[in-house]
Amino acid sequence: MRASFAVGGLLILSLALDGAAQAQSSCDAGVTKAVAKKVSAKLKVIARGQQKGQPPNAKKLAKAETKFADGCTKAKSKNDCQVQTSSCAALEATADAAIDVLSSGTTPTTTSSTTPPSTTSSTPVMTTFSTTTSTTSTTAMTTSSTTTTTTTTTSTTMPTDLNGTFASHVTTTGTVSVPLIGGKAANIDIVLRIFNSTSGGTVTSHLEFRRVNTATTDVSLVVNIPTSITALLVNDQTSPVQNLTVGGPVSLPSFNITVGQDAAGNSADTDHDGNPGVSIPTQLQGSNETMFSSLVIGLSFPSATLTDANTISGQLTVTTTGKVFGGTPLNLTGNLSVVTGTPTVAFTSTRLTGNVPCSQVLTMF
């Protein structure tokens, strides 16, 4: 019980600055609300699992992560934060550390130091708590009082690896350009699956785009790439084993995928249907159109943090270009591109144990 109150007090101290009066700020309010919802939601999911003697529901945990990322990013966009100046990733790491301790009943390991009687210490970091105890001894003539401050530190950083399946759902806005309609504002919906396995000192990462949907805001173009084509949107990369700790950075590989064209940019019948490029069904200005296209996709992760043992969050970049070699019933030709509205996009990736099939990953989002 003491550890629970300590973590709760720490979180309030770190995020609310001792409850002191603060300047009015939509950003501060939104960030604090997003953190509170995340902690509450994840603890409820964990509690249900404990009650049933089962692991926490991964889909619901991922939903809580996604809601936090969306809520924090939206609040930060107000640009009037006075106290919530930490990044969303740093705040998420602090919240997840508290969740780990609160849900697992972690027993603190203790180190002690003595300071002058008038001094108490409280450090608003991830998992450092301070308590003050007093002892009084009395004789017939005199009374002496000694106050000793003991700092108890619980570390939630733990060595871990990247093995298993990491699933991410990324939604953002941007611009899509194709022949006939040109560039249009669009909504972008992507599901990523990365399976990591370690052999010796090397991690092999297998990337799959499991969903790539794009629709212009005026609905002049709707593209839902079929599973027969997303099955081709795969790439493998290797990287050295990392010494990872919760709350610390993660280095993720960059991926590059090309389908429907060769190294020289000429059409290649990658889906083996007898047409140039790959065949992508679309709705173009209200009519069905199959575009014979190539896709060149780049995916990288400029920043990533291991927010808890089973979650990575940060910023990614994704770029898509290609060519339209023809189509039916229209014989369109030209270039295509999908560009996100911001250079980087927030993401949260949840680890699932083992090599989880794509069909199960898709049911999460």
Side-chain angles (χ1 to χ4, degrees), residues 217-242:
T217 54
D218 65 2
V219 202
S220 60
L221 174 69
V222 178
V223 181
N224 295 324
I225 297 181
T227 55
S228 60
I229 304 303
T230 58
L232 303 174
L233 304 180
V234 299
N235 187 233
D236 292 319
Q237 296 292 330
T238 59
S239 57
V241 169
Q242 302 173 60

Side-chain angles (χ1 to χ4, degrees), residues 205-365:
S205 301
H206 176 72
L207 165 71
E208 298 179 355
F209 278 81
R210 299 317 307 160
R211 181 191 299 159
V212 184
N213 296 341
T214 305
T216 59
T217 54
D218 65 2
V219 202
S220 60
L221 174 69
V222 178
V223 181
N224 295 324
I225 297 181
T227 55
S228 60
I229 304 303
T230 58
L232 303 174
L233 304 180
V234 299
N235 187 233
D236 292 319
Q237 296 292 330
T238 59
S239 57
V241 169
Q242 302 173 60
N243 184 18
L244 301 173
T245 56
V246 172
V250 183
S251 178
L252 300 177
S254 296
F255 299 90
N256 294 284
I257 299 171
T258 300
V259 296
Q261 71 178 49
D262 60 21
N266 300 314
S267 66
D269 184 12
T270 309
D271 56 357
H272 305 294
D273 65 352
N275 296 309
V278 293
S279 298
I280 301 177
T282 68
Q283 284 190 336
L284 184 62
Q285 294 184 334
S287 300
N288 292 328
E289 172 72 14
T290 299
M291 294 186 179
F292 306 145
S293 309
S294 66
L295 296 172
V296 180
I297 302 175
L299 176 67
S300 62
F301 302 87
S303 66
T305 300
L306 190 68
T307 53
D308 63 39
N310 294 309
T311 308
I312 298 174
S313 62
Q315 298 288 318
L316 62 77
T317 62
V318 58
T319 59
T320 304
T321 59
K323 297 180 180 179
V324 180
F325 301 108
T328 181
L330 302 176
N331 189 28
L332 299 175
T333 59
N335 296 321
L336 68 82
S337 66
V338 181
V339 180
T340 57
T342 55
T344 62
V345 179
F347 80 95
T348 297
S349 190
T350 302
R351 188 206 309 251
L352 307 174
T353 303
N355 191 357
V356 178
C358 302
S359 56
Q360 182 176 337
V361 170
L362 284 172
T363 63
M364 295 173 57
F365 311 109

Side-chain angles (χ1 to χ4, degrees), residues 174-192:
T175 302
V176 58
S177 278
V178 298
L180 187 63
I181 66 169
K184 296 275 189 176
N187 296 311
I188 304 166
D189 181 9
I190 299 171
V191 173
L192 303 172

Side-chain angles (χ1 to χ4, degrees), residues 130-194:
S130 299
T131 58
T132 301
T133 57
S134 299
T135 58
T136 302
S137 59
T138 305
T139 66
M141 298 297 293
T142 62
T143 301
S144 63
S145 178
T146 303
T147 300
T148 302
T149 300
T150 303
T151 301
T152 304
T153 302
T154 301
S155 175
T156 60
T157 59
M158 64 195 79
T160 187
D161 55 44
L162 292 177
N163 291 337
T165 301
F166 281 84
S168 309
H169 183 205
V170 179
T171 58
T172 188
T173 58
T175 302
V176 58
S177 278
V178 298
L180 187 63
I181 66 169
K184 296 275 189 176
N187 296 311
I188 304 166
D189 181 9
I190 299 171
V191 173
L192 303 172
R193 173 188 180 273
I194 299 178

